């Protein structure tokens, strides 16, 4: 157990490298991570195995997307001096732990997972692979390889944390207490809809990215769907069903109540309202863009963050796997003692 572990609870969370991150990611989890890294021992994972579930034939994009995610993380203030950044596939112990865990979960249990069902539906894949069905087990291995105490999630991810808790309890019950039973840290998650009102995402082409330039933001905001009842600027509106109003609430908190009133009374037109929203989103993104330029010009910072993160995660993972193999009677010390092939 490392020193940090004694004083700070440990957290694992992260992103799939399927493209740059957007303001929906920021509102839903990234802003929270920036706060958490001061209070907890945070491990931030880039979950590249997970893209194989639904992007199997697009792996040539993985490396540039990983770079984008790392630039996004650094630009919004995740700090490799405070937290540990690592790439999932760089830690082979995760795959090994996934294999052990896969013996502890029934097929029926995996098939009941509501999030897997929804994600499969959204993927539009013709059939579900063994790896897709089992990815909550891989996720449990991500969390437990560093023996995390907490997992920050939105409501829609609770099923995965519950699966991880079950696996930790099952392992500890069959063998010996190796894993903490991690708790879900369900924070106040604010959901920002995409420009069309659906969940913001790359595949829906409805996202404003953290890396978008001011012109792109203005152009995208202009296309956003607002209250369909408003034809003329004097029509009385319903801001609570309008995507732009939600952007005002997120990025223009001070003016949002006034905009709500003026919209309800038909005293502001959507064109003006969108222009204001774009300005506020751009004002929010400006410092992030500046930091991005800084980090883009200094690739050694990214490399160093990944190198240090890899070393720390590997050390933790090896410790975990030594405990796991001991508990499972898979150390084979009598047979292998003194030989190079002793694991760990
Ligand atoms: S005035 Fe603003 S809040 Fe009201 S419907 Fe138009 S864009 Fe939405």
């Amino acid at each position: 157990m490392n020193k940090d572990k004694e004083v700070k609870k440990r957290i694992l969370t992260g992103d799939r490298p399927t493209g740059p991150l957007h303001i929906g990611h920021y509102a839903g989890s990234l802003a929270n991570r920036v706060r958490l890294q001061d209070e907890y021992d945070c491990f931030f994972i880039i979950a590249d195995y997970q893209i194989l579930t639904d992007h199997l034939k697009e792996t040539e994009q993985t490396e540039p997307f990983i770079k984008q995610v790392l630039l996004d993380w650094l630009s919004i203030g995740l700090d490799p001096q405070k937290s540990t950044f690592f790439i999932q596939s760089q830690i082979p112990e995760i795959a090994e732990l996934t294999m052990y865990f896969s013996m502890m979960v029934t097929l029926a249990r995996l098939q009941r997972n509501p999030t897997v069902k929804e994600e499969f539906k959204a993927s539009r894949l013709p059939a579900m692979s063994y790896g897709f069905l089992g990815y909550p087990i891989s996720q449990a291995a991500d969390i437990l390889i560093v023996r995390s105490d907490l997992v920050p999630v939105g409501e829609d991810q609770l099923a995965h944390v519950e699966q991880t808790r079950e696996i930790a309890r099952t392992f500890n019950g069959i063998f010996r207490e190796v894993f903490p039973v991690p708790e879900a840290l369900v924070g106040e998650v604010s959901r920002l809809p995409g420009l069309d009102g659906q969940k913001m995402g790359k595949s829906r082409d409805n996202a404003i990215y953290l890396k978008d330039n001011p012109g792109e933001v203005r152009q995208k905001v202009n296309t956003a769907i607002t209250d369909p009842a408003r034809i003329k600027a004097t029509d009385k509106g319903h801001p609570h069903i309008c995507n732009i109003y939600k952007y005002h609430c997120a990025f223009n908190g001070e003016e949002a109540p006034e905009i709500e009133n003026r919209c309800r009374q038909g005293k502001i037109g959507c064109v003006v309202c969108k222009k204001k929203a774009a300005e506020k989103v751009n004002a929010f993104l400006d410092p992030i863009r500046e930091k991005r330029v800084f980090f883009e010009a200094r690739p050694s910072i990214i490399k160093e963050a990944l190198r240090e993160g890899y070393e720390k995660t590997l050390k933790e993972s090896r410790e975990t796997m030594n405990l796991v193999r001991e508990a499972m009677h898979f150390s084979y010390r009598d047979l292998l003692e003194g030989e190079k092939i002793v694991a760990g």
Side-chain angles (χ1 to χ4, degrees), residues 265-316:
Q265 294 166 26
K267 291 187 174 168
I268 182 171
C270 292
V271 174
V272 173
C273 192
K274 281 179 168 178
K275 199 165 166 242
K276 266 180 187 285
E279 271 167 25
K280 293 296 175 180
V281 174
N282 273 329
F284 161 75
L285 290 177
D286 276 342
I288 295 175
R289 290 181 188 120
E290 265 177 46
K291 281 198 193 164
R292 191 182 196 90
V293 170
F294 175 88
F295 289 115
E296 263 176 334
R298 291 165 182 80
S300 61
I301 294 179
I302 287 188
K303 286 185 182 170
E304 188 58 13
L306 282 179
R307 192 189 59 74
E308 284 182 5
Y310 165 74
E311 282 171 7
K312 182 171 173 189
T313 311
L314 192 66
K315 182 173 168 288
E316 291 292 326

Short mmCIF file of all heavy atoms in Angstrom, two decimals, residues 265-316:
data_model
loop_
_atom_site.label_atom_id
_atom_site.label_comp_id
_atom_site.label_asym_id
_atom_site.label_seq_id
_atom_site.Cartn_x
_atom_site.Cartn_y
_atom_site.Cartn_z
N GLN A 265 -41.55 36.08 -21.91
CA GLN A 265 -42.40 37.23 -22.26
C GLN A 265 -42.28 37.64 -23.73
O GLN A 265 -42.89 38.61 -24.15
CB GLN A 265 -42.02 38.43 -21.38
CG GLN A 265 -42.33 38.23 -19.91
CD GLN A 265 -41.65 39.27 -19.04
OE1 GLN A 265 -41.37 40.38 -19.50
NE2 GLN A 265 -41.39 38.92 -17.80
N GLY A 266 -41.47 36.91 -24.49
CA GLY A 266 -41.28 37.27 -25.90
C GLY A 266 -40.52 38.57 -26.06
O GLY A 266 -40.80 39.37 -26.95
N LYS A 267 -39.53 38.79 -25.17
CA LYS A 267 -38.77 40.05 -25.23
C LYS A 267 -37.33 39.85 -25.67
O LYS A 267 -36.51 40.75 -25.54
CB LYS A 267 -38.82 40.74 -23.87
CG LYS A 267 -40.21 41.27 -23.56
CD LYS A 267 -40.21 42.10 -22.31
CE LYS A 267 -41.58 42.73 -22.12
NZ LYS A 267 -41.73 43.29 -20.80
N ILE A 268 -37.03 38.65 -26.12
CA ILE A 268 -35.68 38.43 -26.71
C ILE A 268 -35.85 37.42 -27.86
O ILE A 268 -36.62 36.44 -27.74
CB ILE A 268 -34.66 37.91 -25.65
CG1 ILE A 268 -33.27 37.73 -26.28
CG2 ILE A 268 -35.12 36.62 -25.00
CD1 ILE A 268 -32.16 37.44 -25.28
N GLY A 269 -35.17 37.68 -28.95
CA GLY A 269 -35.25 36.76 -30.08
C GLY A 269 -34.19 35.67 -29.97
O GLY A 269 -33.15 35.86 -29.31
N CYS A 270 -34.44 34.56 -30.63
CA CYS A 270 -33.50 33.43 -30.54
C CYS A 270 -32.15 33.77 -31.15
O CYS A 270 -31.11 33.28 -30.69
CB CYS A 270 -34.09 32.19 -31.21
SG CYS A 270 -35.50 31.54 -30.30
N VAL A 271 -32.15 34.62 -32.20
CA VAL A 271 -30.87 34.95 -32.85
C VAL A 271 -29.96 35.66 -31.85
O VAL A 271 -28.78 35.31 -31.67
CB VAL A 271 -31.11 35.82 -34.11
CG1 VAL A 271 -29.78 36.29 -34.70
CG2 VAL A 271 -31.91 35.04 -35.14
N VAL A 272 -30.52 36.65 -31.15
CA VAL A 272 -29.74 37.41 -30.16
C VAL A 272 -29.32 36.49 -29.01
O VAL A 272 -28.18 36.51 -28.53
CB VAL A 272 -30.58 38.60 -29.62
CG1 VAL A 272 -29.86 39.30 -28.48
CG2 VAL A 272 -30.87 39.57 -30.76
N CYS A 273 -30.26 35.67 -28.60
CA CYS A 273 -30.02 34.77 -27.46
C CYS A 273 -28.89 33.78 -27.78
O CYS A 273 -28.02 33.51 -26.96
CB CYS A 273 -31.31 34.04 -27.14
SG CYS A 273 -31.29 33.18 -25.58
N LYS A 274 -28.90 33.28 -29.02
CA LYS A 274 -27.85 32.33 -29.43
C LYS A 274 -26.49 33.04 -29.48
O LYS A 274 -25.47 32.46 -29.11
CB LYS A 274 -28.17 31.77 -30.82
CG LYS A 274 -29.23 30.67 -30.79
CD LYS A 274 -29.49 30.19 -32.21
CE LYS A 274 -30.30 28.92 -32.22
NZ LYS A 274 -30.60 28.45 -33.57
N LYS A 275 -26.52 34.28 -29.97
CA LYS A 275 -25.26 35.02 -30.07
C LYS A 275 -24.63 35.18 -28.68
O LYS A 275 -23.44 34.97 -28.49
CB LYS A 275 -25.55 36.39 -30.70
CG LYS A 275 -24.35 37.05 -31.25
CD LYS A 275 -24.73 38.21 -32.17
CE LYS A 275 -23.50 39.05 -32.43
NZ LYS A 275 -23.56 40.40 -31.98
N LYS A 276 -25.48 35.53 -27.72
CA LYS A 276 -25.00 35.68 -26.33
C LYS A 276 -24.45 34.35 -25.80
O LYS A 276 -23.41 34.31 -25.15
CB LYS A 276 -26.18 36.07 -25.41
CG LYS A 276 -26.37 37.54 -25.18
CD LYS A 276 -27.58 37.70 -24.24
CE LYS A 276 -27.96 39.15 -24.08
NZ LYS A 276 -27.02 39.87 -23.21
N ALA A 277 -25.17 33.26 -26.10
CA ALA A 277 -24.73 31.94 -25.62
C ALA A 277 -23.37 31.59 -26.21
O ALA A 277 -22.47 31.12 -25.50
CB ALA A 277 -25.76 30.88 -25.97
N ALA A 278 -23.21 31.84 -27.52
CA ALA A 278 -21.93 31.53 -28.17
C ALA A 278 -20.79 32.34 -27.54
O ALA A 278 -19.70 31.82 -27.30
CB ALA A 278 -22.02 31.81 -29.67
N GLU A 279 -21.09 33.62 -27.23
CA GLU A 279 -20.05 34.46 -26.60
C GLU A 279 -19.62 33.87 -25.26
O GLU A 279 -18.44 33.82 -24.94
CB GLU A 279 -20.62 35.86 -26.31
CG GLU A 279 -20.44 36.84 -27.46
CD GLU A 279 -21.29 38.09 -27.23
OE1 GLU A 279 -21.61 38.41 -26.07
OE2 GLU A 279 -21.64 38.73 -28.24
N LYS A 280 -20.61 33.42 -24.49
CA LYS A 280 -20.30 32.88 -23.16
C LYS A 280 -19.55 31.56 -23.24
O LYS A 280 -18.64 31.30 -22.47
CB LYS A 280 -21.59 32.72 -22.33
CG LYS A 280 -22.24 34.03 -21.99
CD LYS A 280 -21.34 34.87 -21.09
CE LYS A 280 -21.93 36.25 -20.83
NZ LYS A 280 -21.06 37.07 -19.97
N VAL A 281 -19.96 30.71 -24.18
CA VAL A 281 -19.24 29.44 -24.36
C VAL A 281 -17.80 29.75 -24.78
O VAL A 281 -16.85 29.16 -24.25
CB VAL A 281 -19.94 28.52 -25.39
CG1 VAL A 281 -19.09 27.28 -25.67
CG2 VAL A 281 -21.33 28.11 -24.88
N ASN A 282 -17.65 30.70 -25.69
CA ASN A 282 -16.29 31.07 -26.13
C ASN A 282 -15.47 31.66 -24.98
O ASN A 282 -14.28 31.37 -24.86
CB ASN A 282 -16.36 32.04 -27.31
CG ASN A 282 -16.46 31.29 -28.63
OD1 ASN A 282 -15.93 30.19 -28.75
ND2 ASN A 282 -17.16 31.86 -29.60
N ALA A 283 -16.11 32.46 -24.14
CA ALA A 283 -15.37 33.05 -23.00
C ALA A 283 -14.91 31.94 -22.06
O ALA A 283 -13.80 31.99 -21.51
CB ALA A 283 -16.26 34.03 -22.25
N PHE A 284 -15.76 30.92 -21.91
CA PHE A 284 -15.38 29.79 -21.06
C PHE A 284 -14.22 29.01 -21.70
O PHE A 284 -13.28 28.57 -21.01
CB PHE A 284 -16.60 28.87 -20.86
CG PHE A 284 -16.24 27.49 -20.42
CD1 PHE A 284 -15.83 27.24 -19.11
CD2 PHE A 284 -16.27 26.42 -21.31
CE1 PHE A 284 -15.47 25.96 -18.71
CE2 PHE A 284 -15.90 25.15 -20.92
CZ PHE A 284 -15.50 24.92 -19.61
N LEU A 285 -14.27 28.85 -23.03
CA LEU A 285 -13.25 28.03 -23.72
C LEU A 285 -11.92 28.75 -23.95
O LEU A 285 -10.90 28.10 -24.12
CB LEU A 285 -13.80 27.53 -25.06
CG LEU A 285 -14.90 26.47 -24.99
CD1 LEU A 285 -15.39 26.13 -26.40
CD2 LEU A 285 -14.41 25.20 -24.30
N ASP A 286 -11.94 30.08 -23.92
CA ASP A 286 -10.71 30.83 -24.24
C ASP A 286 -9.49 30.38 -23.43
O ASP A 286 -8.45 30.05 -24.00
CB ASP A 286 -10.93 32.33 -24.06
CG ASP A 286 -11.55 32.94 -25.32
OD1 ASP A 286 -11.49 32.29 -26.38
OD2 ASP A 286 -12.11 34.06 -25.23
N PRO A 287 -9.59 30.35 -22.09
CA PRO A 287 -8.39 29.92 -21.33
C PRO A 287 -8.02 28.46 -21.59
O PRO A 287 -6.84 28.10 -21.54
CB PRO A 287 -8.79 30.13 -19.86
CG PRO A 287 -10.27 30.37 -19.85
CD PRO A 287 -10.67 30.82 -21.21
N ILE A 288 -9.02 27.65 -21.89
CA ILE A 288 -8.74 26.23 -22.20
C ILE A 288 -7.96 26.16 -23.52
O ILE A 288 -7.00 25.41 -23.65
CB ILE A 288 -10.06 25.42 -22.27
CG1 ILE A 288 -10.71 25.40 -20.87
CG2 ILE A 288 -9.84 24.02 -22.80
CD1 ILE A 288 -12.06 24.75 -20.80
N ARG A 289 -8.39 26.98 -24.48
CA ARG A 289 -7.67 27.02 -25.78
C ARG A 289 -6.22 27.48 -25.59
O ARG A 289 -5.31 26.93 -26.20
CB ARG A 289 -8.38 27.99 -26.74
CG ARG A 289 -9.73 27.50 -27.20
CD ARG A 289 -10.32 28.54 -28.17
NE ARG A 289 -11.67 28.21 -28.51
CZ ARG A 289 -12.73 28.99 -28.27
NH1 ARG A 289 -12.59 30.17 -27.69
NH2 ARG A 289 -13.93 28.60 -28.62
N GLU A 290 -6.06 28.48 -24.74
CA GLU A 290 -4.70 28.99 -24.50
C GLU A 290 -3.80 27.91 -23.94
O GLU A 290 -2.67 27.71 -24.37
CB GLU A 290 -4.74 30.14 -23.50
CG GLU A 290 -4.78 31.50 -24.15
CD GLU A 290 -4.90 32.59 -23.11
OE1 GLU A 290 -4.17 32.56 -22.10
OE2 GLU A 290 -5.76 33.48 -23.30
N LYS A 291 -4.35 27.18 -22.98
CA LYS A 291 -3.54 26.11 -22.37
C LYS A 291 -3.27 25.01 -23.38
O LYS A 291 -2.19 24.43 -23.39
CB LYS A 291 -4.29 25.51 -21.17
CG LYS A 291 -4.20 26.34 -19.93
CD LYS A 291 -4.57 25.48 -18.76
CE LYS A 291 -4.83 26.28 -17.52
NZ LYS A 291 -5.52 25.51 -16.52
N ARG A 292 -4.24 24.76 -24.23
CA ARG A 292 -4.04 23.73 -25.26
C ARG A 292 -2.86 24.08 -26.17
O ARG A 292 -2.02 23.24 -26.47
CB ARG A 292 -5.33 23.58 -26.07
CG ARG A 292 -5.32 22.39 -26.96
CD ARG A 292 -6.60 22.33 -27.76
NE ARG A 292 -6.70 21.01 -28.31
CZ ARG A 292 -7.29 20.00 -27.72
NH1 ARG A 292 -7.88 20.16 -26.55
NH2 ARG A 292 -7.32 18.82 -28.28
N VAL A 293 -2.81 25.34 -26.58
CA VAL A 293 -1.70 25.80 -27.43
C VAL A 293 -0.37 25.58 -26.69
O VAL A 293 0.61 25.08 -27.26
CB VAL A 293 -1.88 27.29 -27.81
CG1 VAL A 293 -0.64 27.85 -28.47
CG2 VAL A 293 -3.10 27.46 -28.71
N PHE A 294 -0.37 25.90 -25.40
CA PHE A 294 0.84 25.73 -24.59
C PHE A 294 1.28 24.26 -24.58
O PHE A 294 2.43 23.94 -24.85
CB PHE A 294 0.54 26.21 -23.15
CG PHE A 294 1.66 26.00 -22.20
CD1 PHE A 294 2.66 26.95 -22.04
CD2 PHE A 294 1.72 24.83 -21.42
CE1 PHE A 294 3.70 26.74 -21.13
CE2 PHE A 294 2.76 24.61 -20.52
CZ PHE A 294 3.75 25.57 -20.39
N PHE A 295 0.34 23.36 -24.30
CA PHE A 295 0.71 21.93 -24.19
C PHE A 295 1.00 21.31 -25.55
O PHE A 295 1.84 20.41 -25.65
CB PHE A 295 -0.38 21.15 -23.45
CG PHE A 295 -0.44 21.47 -21.98
CD1 PHE A 295 -1.56 22.10 -21.43
CD2 PHE A 295 0.63 21.18 -21.16
CE1 PHE A 295 -1.60 22.41 -20.08
CE2 PHE A 295 0.60 21.48 -19.80
CZ PHE A 295 -0.51 22.10 -19.26
N GLU A 296 0.31 21.79 -26.58
CA GLU A 296 0.59 21.26 -27.92
C GLU A 296 2.04 21.54 -28.33
O GLU A 296 2.67 20.74 -29.02
CB GLU A 296 -0.36 21.90 -28.95
CG GLU A 296 -1.56 21.01 -29.22
CD GLU A 296 -2.55 21.66 -30.17
OE1 GLU A 296 -2.60 22.90 -30.25
OE2 GLU A 296 -3.31 20.90 -30.81
N ALA A 297 2.53 22.69 -27.88
CA ALA A 297 3.91 23.08 -28.23
C ALA A 297 4.95 22.37 -27.36
O ALA A 297 6.15 22.52 -27.57
CB ALA A 297 4.06 24.59 -28.09
N ARG A 298 4.47 21.63 -26.36
CA ARG A 298 5.40 20.96 -25.43
C ARG A 298 5.04 19.49 -25.27
O ARG A 298 4.61 19.05 -24.19
CB ARG A 298 5.36 21.67 -24.06
CG ARG A 298 5.95 23.08 -24.12
CD ARG A 298 5.59 23.90 -22.90
NE ARG A 298 6.13 25.25 -23.01
CZ ARG A 298 5.57 26.23 -23.73
NH1 ARG A 298 4.46 26.01 -24.41
NH2 ARG A 298 6.13 27.42 -23.78
N PRO A 299 5.26 18.70 -26.32
CA PRO A 299 4.87 17.29 -26.25
C PRO A 299 5.61 16.51 -25.15
O PRO A 299 5.13 15.47 -24.70
CB PRO A 299 5.21 16.75 -27.64
CG PRO A 299 6.06 17.78 -28.29
CD PRO A 299 5.80 19.08 -27.62
N SER A 300 6.75 17.06 -24.71
CA SER A 300 7.49 16.34 -23.67
C SER A 300 6.68 16.28 -22.36
O SER A 300 6.84 15.36 -21.56
CB SER A 300 8.84 17.00 -23.42
OG SER A 300 8.64 18.32 -22.99
N ILE A 301 5.79 17.25 -22.14
CA ILE A 301 4.98 17.23 -20.90
C ILE A 301 4.04 16.02 -20.94
O ILE A 301 3.87 15.31 -19.95
CB ILE A 301 4.19 18.55 -20.74
CG1 ILE A 301 5.17 19.71 -20.53
CG2 ILE A 301 3.18 18.46 -19.59
CD1 ILE A 301 4.52 21.08 -20.37
N ILE A 302 3.45 15.78 -22.11
CA ILE A 302 2.54 14.63 -22.25
C ILE A 302 3.32 13.33 -22.07
O ILE A 302 2.91 12.42 -21.35
CB ILE A 302 1.86 14.66 -23.64
CG1 ILE A 302 0.82 15.78 -23.66
CG2 ILE A 302 1.22 13.32 -23.97
CD1 ILE A 302 -0.03 15.79 -24.91
N LYS A 303 4.48 13.26 -22.71
CA LYS A 303 5.28 12.03 -22.62
C LYS A 303 5.69 11.75 -21.17
O LYS A 303 5.64 10.61 -20.71
CB LYS A 303 6.52 12.13 -23.51
CG LYS A 303 6.15 12.01 -24.98
CD LYS A 303 7.36 11.99 -25.87
CE LYS A 303 6.91 11.92 -27.33
NZ LYS A 303 7.96 12.14 -28.27
N GLU A 304 6.09 12.81 -20.49
CA GLU A 304 6.53 12.65 -19.10
C GLU A 304 5.34 12.22 -18.21
O GLU A 304 5.50 11.35 -17.34
CB GLU A 304 7.12 13.98 -18.60
CG GLU A 304 7.79 13.96 -17.26
CD GLU A 304 8.94 12.96 -17.13
OE1 GLU A 304 9.41 12.43 -18.16
OE2 GLU A 304 9.33 12.67 -15.98
N ALA A 305 4.19 12.82 -18.45
CA ALA A 305 3.00 12.45 -17.66
C ALA A 305 2.68 10.97 -17.87
O ALA A 305 2.38 10.24 -16.92
CB ALA A 305 1.81 13.32 -18.08
N LEU A 306 2.78 10.52 -19.12
CA LEU A 306 2.46 9.11 -19.40
C LEU A 306 3.53 8.19 -18.83
O LEU A 306 3.22 7.11 -18.34
CB LEU A 306 2.34 8.89 -20.92
CG LEU A 306 1.03 9.36 -21.55
CD1 LEU A 306 1.05 9.10 -23.05
CD2 LEU A 306 -0.18 8.69 -20.92
N ARG A 307 4.78 8.62 -18.90
CA ARG A 307 5.85 7.75 -18.37
C ARG A 307 5.71 7.59 -16.86
O ARG A 307 5.72 6.48 -16.34
CB ARG A 307 7.23 8.36 -18.71
CG ARG A 307 8.39 7.40 -18.45
CD ARG A 307 9.74 8.08 -18.59
NE ARG A 307 9.92 9.21 -17.68
CZ ARG A 307 10.14 9.12 -16.37
NH1 ARG A 307 10.22 7.93 -15.81
NH2 ARG A 307 10.26 10.19 -15.62
N GLU A 308 5.52 8.71 -16.17
CA GLU A 308 5.37 8.62 -14.71
C GLU A 308 4.12 7.85 -14.33
O GLU A 308 4.11 7.06 -13.39
CB GLU A 308 5.32 10.04 -14.11
CG GLU A 308 6.68 10.68 -14.06
CD GLU A 308 6.65 12.06 -13.43
OE1 GLU A 308 5.59 12.47 -12.95
OE2 GLU A 308 7.71 12.71 -13.45
N GLY A 309 3.04 8.12 -15.06
CA GLY A 309 1.77 7.44 -14.77
C GLY A 309 1.88 5.94 -14.99
O GLY A 309 1.38 5.14 -14.20
N TYR A 310 2.57 5.58 -16.07
CA TYR A 310 2.78 4.16 -16.38
C TYR A 310 3.55 3.49 -15.24
O TYR A 310 3.17 2.43 -14.75
CB TYR A 310 3.52 4.05 -17.71
CG TYR A 310 4.12 2.70 -17.99
CD1 TYR A 310 3.31 1.63 -18.34
CD2 TYR A 310 5.50 2.50 -17.89
CE1 TYR A 310 3.87 0.37 -18.60
CE2 TYR A 310 6.05 1.25 -18.14
CZ TYR A 310 5.24 0.20 -18.49
OH TYR A 310 5.78 -1.02 -18.73
N GLU A 311 4.63 4.13 -14.82
CA GLU A 311 5.46 3.51 -13.78
C GLU A 311 4.70 3.34 -12.48
O GLU A 311 4.75 2.30 -11.84
CB GLU A 311 6.72 4.36 -13.54
CG GLU A 311 7.75 4.12 -14.63
CD GLU A 311 8.93 5.07 -14.59
OE1 GLU A 311 9.04 5.85 -13.62
OE2 GLU A 311 9.74 5.03 -15.53
N LYS A 312 3.95 4.37 -12.11
CA LYS A 312 3.21 4.27 -10.85
C LYS A 312 2.11 3.21 -10.95
O LYS A 312 1.91 2.41 -10.03
CB LYS A 312 2.61 5.64 -10.48
CG LYS A 312 1.87 5.60 -9.15
CD LYS A 312 1.46 6.96 -8.66
CE LYS A 312 0.59 6.82 -7.43
NZ LYS A 312 -0.03 8.04 -7.00
N THR A 313 1.40 3.21 -12.08
CA THR A 313 0.29 2.26 -12.23
C THR A 313 0.83 0.84 -12.31
O THR A 313 0.24 -0.09 -11.73
CB THR A 313 -0.54 2.59 -13.49
OG1 THR A 313 -0.86 3.97 -13.48
CG2 THR A 313 -1.83 1.79 -13.52
N LEU A 314 1.94 0.67 -13.01
CA LEU A 314 2.52 -0.67 -13.13
C LEU A 314 2.94 -1.19 -11.75
O LEU A 314 2.69 -2.35 -11.41
CB LEU A 314 3.73 -0.63 -14.07
CG LEU A 314 4.25 -1.99 -14.51
CD1 LEU A 314 3.22 -2.71 -15.38
CD2 LEU A 314 5.55 -1.85 -15.28
N LYS A 315 3.54 -0.34 -10.95
CA LYS A 315 3.97 -0.74 -9.61
C LYS A 315 2.76 -1.19 -8.77
O LYS A 315 2.76 -2.24 -8.16
CB LYS A 315 4.70 0.44 -8.94
CG LYS A 315 5.24 0.15 -7.58
CD LYS A 315 6.08 1.32 -7.07
CE LYS A 315 6.40 1.18 -5.60
NZ LYS A 315 5.27 1.42 -4.71
N GLU A 316 1.72 -0.35 -8.81
CA GLU A 316 0.51 -0.69 -8.05
C GLU A 316 -0.11 -1.99 -8.57
O GLU A 316 -0.57 -2.82 -7.79
CB GLU A 316 -0.53 0.44 -8.21
CG GLU A 316 -0.17 1.73 -7.53
CD GLU A 316 -0.20 1.61 -6.02
OE1 GLU A 316 -1.05 0.85 -5.50
OE2 GLU A 316 0.63 2.26 -5.36
#
